């Protein structure tokens, strides 16, 4: 089992940067791919990024070239950061991290993720 806790959300202005963090803990956490998803009010949950245990990452089209995922593995804890740059009002959403046993390529489908955090809110003002 993997427990996930997000942090780092907040209110920023368009063009600003923000870093989210996801702490994934559990005996096998280091073997899991960690993904980021977001859900804006009234919209479906959207894939943002995922990074596997080897550091391979994939990004959603709407955030490619603006967001970067980093991963640090410790024995029973994985920290995945999502560096978000050039933020836009349309990036406003609740951001969730999740863990998947799928590795290569890092999965983008929500259904492949077994464990989810509670989310952190990001608001980008224009």
């Amino acid at each position: 089992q993997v427990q996930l806790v997000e942090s780092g959300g907040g209110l920023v202005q368009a063009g600003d940067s923000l870093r989210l963090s996801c702490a994934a803990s559990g005996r096998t956490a280091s073997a899991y791919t960690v993904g980021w998803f977001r859900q804006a009010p009234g919209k479906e949950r959207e894939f943002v990024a995922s990074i596997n245990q080897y550091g391979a990452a994939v990004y959603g089209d709407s955030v490619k070239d603006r967001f970067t995922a980093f991963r640090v593995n410790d024995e029973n804890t994985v920290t995945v950061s999502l560096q978000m740059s050039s933020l836009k009002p349309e990036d406003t959403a609740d951001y969730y991290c999740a863990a998947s046993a799928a590795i290569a390529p890092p999965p983008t489908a929500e259904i492949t993720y077994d464990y989810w955090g509670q989310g952190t809110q990001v608001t980008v003002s224009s």
Side-chain angles (χ1 to χ4, degrees):
Q1 191 149 358
V2 180
Q3 294 80 41
L4 302 114
V5 178
E6 304 93 339
S7 62
L11 172 63
V12 297
Q13 293 187 332
D16 284 353
S17 297
L18 191 66
R19 178 173 287 199
L20 304 183
S21 289
C22 173
S25 60
R27 189 172 58 85
T28 59
S30 62
Y32 280 75
T33 292
V34 175
W36 284 97
F37 292 79
R38 67 186 183 185
Q39 188 166 22
K43 295 189 177 181
E44 293 186 352
R45 194 172 290 183
E46 175 190 19
F47 170 75
V48 175
S50 62
I51 183 166
N52 67 16
Q53 61 179 310
Y54 304 110
V58 294
Y59 300 92
D61 289 340
S62 62
V63 306
K64 204 172 294 184
D65 299 327
R66 297 190 299 123
F67 290 12
T68 305
F70 302 91
R71 177 178 179 129
V72 176
N73 289 339
D74 286 325
E75 185 172 347
N76 292 318
T77 302
V78 175
T79 302
V80 173
S81 299
L82 185 68
Q83 179 66 42
M84 307 185 293
S85 303
S86 301
L87 283 163
K88 306 174 182 180
E90 50 264 44
D91 294 318
T92 295
D94 291 326
Y95 283 72
Y96 300 88
C97 66
S100 171
I103 298 174
T108 62
E110 187 176 340
I111 195 172
T112 63
Y113 287 82
D114 300 308
Y115 305 102
W116 291 81
Q118 293 300 306
T120 186
Q121 188 174 57
V122 173
T123 303
V124 184
S125 64
S126 58

